[in-house]
Amino acid sequence: MKVNDAITGAALFILSVVILWHIQGFPAMHGQRFGPAWFPGIIAVGLAACAMVLVARGIRERAAWIAFDPWTRKARPIAGFASVIAGLAFYVLAADALGFHLTGFILLLFWLRILGTRWPMALAVAALSPVILHLAFYKLLRVPLPWGVLERFAF
Amino acid sequence: MLANFAAAFALVFDPYVLWVIFASAIFGLFVGAVPGLTATMATALLVPVTFFMAPVPALASIVTATAMAIFAGDIPSCFLRMPGTPASAAYTDEAYAMTKKGQGEIALGAGLVFSVIGGLFGTAVLILAAPSLAEVALKFGSFEYFWLVLLGLTCAVFIAVGNPVKGMVSLLIGLLVASVGLDNPAAFPRFTFGNAELAGGLTLIPMMIGMFAVSEILRNASSMETPWEMAQVKVGNVFKGMGKLIAKYPLAMIRGSVLGTLIGALPGAGADIAAWMSYAMSKKFSKEPEKFGTGHVEGIVEAGAANNSALAGAWIPALVFGIPGDSITAIVIGVLYLKGLNPGPTAFMENAPSIYAIFLVFILANLLMLPLGVAAIKCAKQMLRVPRDVLLPVILLFCIVGAFSINNSAFGVLLMLVFGVVAWLMEENGFPVAPAILGIVLGSMLEENFISSIIKADGRLGAFFERPIAGTLGVLTILVWTSPLWLKLARKKKPPAGGLSA
């Protein structure tokens, strides 16, 4: 996905203005010119300057505002791409409640099927991988992977 | 130095460490050989595992895996016309053309042998330069460090970045990310919006896993349609004819190693840029430049040595100043802090055995590359047949566990997702990711050294130029900043040579 530099620049410009406005609330350091607002302030000013250059260039280039690559017109690549983002978002939302093992199984099955793995292979990989990661990280390295609804079966 | 090596010897030649090195070598060879999986990704994936190791095996694991991965990146170039890692992209077409001419074995052999030579050269420079640089760096105060960090960030923006404005945006975004949280001289919670997860700052490792693994998986997931077509390569003895190549191209070999080490040591540019520049240089200085691109081994000799020497070169500023030379060492610096092995000149005194152990591992990994590299070349067909549709989901789940394990919180997974998407979008639109990484890693160092300098100087900016080394570094930084202006002026004075004919 190619976004015209003018749009990126405009977004960055808004971001830097918001930062500049936000840091006005930062406290001053007693007896000093350079408080906590100084560093983000410099960054925001620099970002605003670069953003203006980007806007000027983007307008001069006259490219499409947003251009999509050829793969975005095909169903499978789109599904693959979207499934990665959707799956990770699902993990963030569901992992604490469902637990790592169950979420991992569901996610793997979802990803494997979308990428075109056959059912038997997908089921085997989805079932085994969380167990192997459990043994390596939970048992060996003591990472407290959440159990969620499977708390009763914790081992 | 000898006493340090003796102590380091005991640290490295321990059965557990050797086992870690061996396992990491296999891992690195695999990750490097499979297109779409990179050496930096290997590092990011290793961190969660090394998180729980002692410092020496943890670093040994990263050193070995990356060295192997950069070499193994050459393998699919010959079989698939695809680079295994971006560091091999410069000569992928050349290697494949050699395969088509029936010289695949020579291309693979040259990839291996000159990777080892380049790697050992870079290691030698690292061993000789780092300790003496550390002695100089002991005298550095906040003024010197401020300029050094600024110079490093400047290099990342201006060197080998096609578009400095986009490089600059990338850097500023990185610095902005670094300024989140309490970790600033005033200890004031910036941009935390009352969120406790943000107060500690954004954790480096989940962001890195996002930027280097998730973004790569996103790219892979959208290109699953095209199956890989494997070319036939008859592999016998890959070392056959290598002695002749060394005798024929000694200059190319040395030039590649030197340039690679230098590019590696410069912040922001790593093995991939080293390979591109070396390949171009090789063509420029070659006696037979017309043969480049038709399956000519000379460029592979030079660039193959360059990318492996860059790997070691990147560790010089990382260990001595805490300024990463490439994206791999950016992650390494995070690991060093986690392990209490804070990089900087004092590490060479307080933790000398550990530092020398890293040197030893570099030597060992490069020597180990010879037998294991041959094995990897022989198994290339099997490795490249691994089904990607199974590999990617499993790696993704591994990324989740890795991002989670650093702080034991799902917030890490969210960070990884956000930064993965951001990195993907940036690369799609021509914003280089390396300056952002440097900004994230060096942001707090830049601010801290500026604030403590300005307090020492009582607010006088002139003080930044009063000490000799600081002044020199400062002038150098300003020169690089204004370089686009100089270049423009120079071009205006002299009309372009081709101006009339056009």
Side-chain angles (χ1 to χ4, degrees), chain B residues 444-480:
Chain B
S444 60
M445 199 169 157
L446 182 69
E447 184 180 11
E448 262 163 43
N449 282 305
F450 177 80
I451 297 285
S452 49
S453 299
I454 204 84
I455 289 174
K456 276 186 228 163
D458 232 1
R460 238 169 9 90
L461 287 171
F464 279 85
F465 295 93
E466 278 164 12
R467 292 162 58 117
I469 299 179
T472 315
L473 290 170
V475 170
L476 208 61
T477 311
I478 292 169
L479 276 178
V480 182

Side-chain angles (χ1 to χ4, degrees), chain B residues 24-34 37-43 46 61-76 83-88 91 115 271 307-308 311 328 369:
Chain B
S24 311
I26 308 283
F27 172 73
L29 286 170
F30 177 76
V31 171
V34 176
L37 313 183
T38 68
T40 318
M41 184 172 172
T43 316
L46 271 177
S61 164
I62 293 175
V63 167
T64 314
T66 50
M68 297 290 172
I70 294 293
F71 148 68
D74 297 355
I75 297 175
T85 70
S88 302
Y91 48 91
S115 287
N307 55 18
N308 274 76
L311 219 46
I328 293 170
M369 201 187 288

Side-chain angles (χ1 to χ4, degrees), chain B residues 18 39 55 110 121 125 131 149 158 168 199 282 305 386 406 428 487:
Chain B
L18 291 177
F121 181 91
V125 176
V149 172
F158 286 101
M168 191 68 209
S282 182
V386 169
I406 303 298
E428 283 281 294
L487 290 176

